Amino acid sequence: LVVCPYFLNEGFPNNTDGWLRPAADIVRKAGGLLICDEVQSGFGRTGTHFWAHEKMDVVPDVMTLGKPMANGHPVGGVIARGDIVSEFRKGYRYFNTFGGNPVSCAAAMAVLDEIEAENLVANAKRTGDYARQRLNALQAKYDIIGDVRGSGLIFGAEMVLDKTAKEPASAFTDGIINAMRHRGIILSKLGRHKNTLKIRPPMPFSKANADLLFDTLDDVLNKSLNML
């Protein structure tokens, strides 16, 4: 079973802590492996745990890392149990020209040092809680926002044409993203119907940054709804 333990691309549903554990148990009982992709959800981004799989109460057999691992420098990693790596080495020949190079490793180590020195996991929790307060206020103001969810510096709003029927407002979401882009703020969309705003800012993101983001989003929503 290969999953992002926080299901980011699926719209990061509000699953309770420990939600993934029963699925992991079933996979292992069947002789399978749990592979967690922590590229988007790792390194403290949830604000509650350093890895999202901890939040879901599982320990993966294999974990993949990348992108934020070195703050833009191209580096990725794979972590696995020793027996899995040993079995892989028996059956396959793997070679990587740049694997383990000291420059990439130094960049990745610097990121870990910065996360610890600046207490960025706690910042993700503090700023993320504030961001969802701002989003909840917008939800109370605009019926187009059907749901608000997230943890730490992963948060967003699901756009719906009808709060009862939950009809996706996919085209409207596209318009909001484009309007925000023209205002200098880059957002994206995800979920089955591509109607969920995905907001995943850098780990040093502050409350002042959040105010700029949501003040702008408030203005864009107001103007966009008046044009419908």
Side-chain angles (χ1 to χ4, degrees), residues 43 50 68-73 75 101-120 203-204:
F43 295 96
F50 202 81
M69 189 173 176
N71 199 32
H73 181 87
V75 62
N101 79 81
V103 174
S104 295
C105 291
M109 286 300 297
V111 167
L112 290 175
D113 289 342
E114 191 72 6
I115 289 172
E116 183 177 22
E118 298 298 326
N119 207 11
L120 293 182
M203 289 291 281

Side-chain angles (χ1 to χ4, degrees), residues 133-145:
Q133 289 176 18
R134 291 293 313 263
L135 264 177
N136 286 330
L138 290 180
Q139 183 184 20
K141 184 176 180 179
Y142 299 108
D143 286 342
I144 197 79
I145 299 179

Side-chain angles (χ1 to χ4, degrees), residues 157-178:
E158 186 171 351
M159 302 295 181
V160 295
L161 296 176
D162 184 285
K163 280 193 174 183
T164 302
K166 298 293 185 182
E167 183 181 351
S170 303
F172 181 83
T173 305
D174 282 339
I176 293 298
I177 290 172
N178 198 41

Side-chain angles (χ1 to χ4, degrees), residues 5 7 13-24 55-58:
F7 293 85
N14 276 328
N15 296 318
T16 57
D17 287 7
W19 180 84
L20 192 56
R21 180 65 179 271
K55 187 175 179 65
M56 292 296 111
D57 193 29
V58 293

Side-chain angles (χ1 to χ4, degrees), residues 1-10 15 19-21 23-24 27 33-42 52-53 56 58-65:
L1 176 63
V2 184
V3 295
C4 164
Y6 201 62
F7 293 85
L8 262 81
N9 288 338
E10 289 70 37
N15 296 318
W19 180 84
L20 192 56
R21 180 65 179 271
V27 167
L33 299 175
L34 175 66
I35 303 174
C36 284
D37 173 10
E38 292 273 10
V39 167
Q40 294 192 77
S41 59
H53 69 256
M56 292 296 111
V58 293
V59 177
D61 302 295
V62 179
M63 180 168 69
T64 58
L65 316 171

Side-chain angles (χ1 to χ4, degrees), residues 75-93:
V75 62
V78 177
I79 300 171
R81 297 200 324 259
D83 61 311
I84 294 174
V85 175
S86 177
E87 192 67 25
F88 177 80
R89 292 185 67 179
K90 288 178 185 176
Y92 303 91
R93 181 179 181 271

